[in-house]
Amino acid sequence: MKKLLLILLCAPLIFSCGENNEKKNNKEIKSNSIKSCLVGYDWCIPSCNNPTTAWKFSTGGTFNYSTTMFGGMSASGTWEEYGNQDIKIVYTRTSTGDLLPEKTIIMPDCKSLKIGQTIYRR
């Protein structure tokens, strides 16, 4: 009876330690998959066959952006994972000389980016 009671009391501790390690591993896997999903692809609207706007992210934490809308513009800057599905971008240069604010991009899945209300696909 004492052994059974001891097992029942210790079981939650053993399993909770395993869950914490599993959550940590899932977070690391998710972090690596965001980078592998993001880097090396063109992210475009309406399509990458004939884009009006496109983003490209590099492994070194930089990005390039270009659009033909409103007379055209290009920009570049840095990006970093911000947690969950969020990626923070900071503009460092624009072709128009404008100062653009930081943005948070959401990656709902490996083949789409949500910037504001716009969905970009690779």
Side-chain angles (χ1 to χ4, degrees), residues 6-7 13 23 33 38 40 46-48 60 73 78 83-84 92-93 101 105 111-112:
L6 184 60
I7 290 170
L13 294 173
K23 286 178 185 177
S33 67
L38 183 67
S47 74
C48 288
M73 183 184 100
T78 60
N84 294 331
T92 56
R93 183 198 65 78
I105 296 173
K111 294 186 178 185
S112 61

Side-chain angles (χ1 to χ4, degrees), residues 18-35:
E19 287 175 11
N20 288 338
N21 288 336
E22 186 177 319
K23 286 178 185 177
K24 182 180 176 186
N25 290 338
N26 286 342
K27 188 175 183 179
E28 290 171 359
I29 291 167
K30 180 140 180 107
S31 175
N32 289 333
S33 67
I34 286 175
K35 188 173 185 177

Side-chain angles (χ1 to χ4, degrees), residues 1 45 53 73 84 88 108 115:
M1 182 72 165
I45 57 168
T53 304
M73 183 184 100
N84 294 331
K88 181 175 82 169
I115 304 172

Side-chain angles (χ1 to χ4, degrees), residues 42-48 109 111-113 119-122:
D42 294 323
W43 297 88
C44 315
I45 57 168
S47 74
C48 288
D109 58 58
K111 294 186 178 185
S112 61
L113 288 177
I119 303 289
Y120 292 79
R121 304 219 183 267
R122 61 182 202 183

Side-chain angles (χ1 to χ4, degrees), residues 57-118:
F57 297 85
S58 301
T59 54
T62 60
F63 72 88
N64 290 300
Y65 163 86
S66 63
T67 184
T68 58
M69 295 169 53
F70 309 113
M73 183 184 100
S74 63
S76 60
T78 60
W79 69 271
E80 66 178 285
E81 293 179 48
Y82 207 59
N84 294 331
Q85 302 168 316
D86 296 342
I87 302 158
K88 181 175 82 169
I89 61 169
V90 177
Y91 294 94
T92 56
R93 183 198 65 78
T94 65
S95 61
T96 59
D98 294 330
L99 297 174
L100 300 176
E102 291 180 0
K103 283 188 181 179
T104 299
I105 296 173
I106 299 168
M107 182 178 267
D109 58 58
C110 202
K111 294 186 178 185
S112 61
L113 288 177
K114 185 175 182 184
I115 304 172
Q117 297 301 313
T118 307

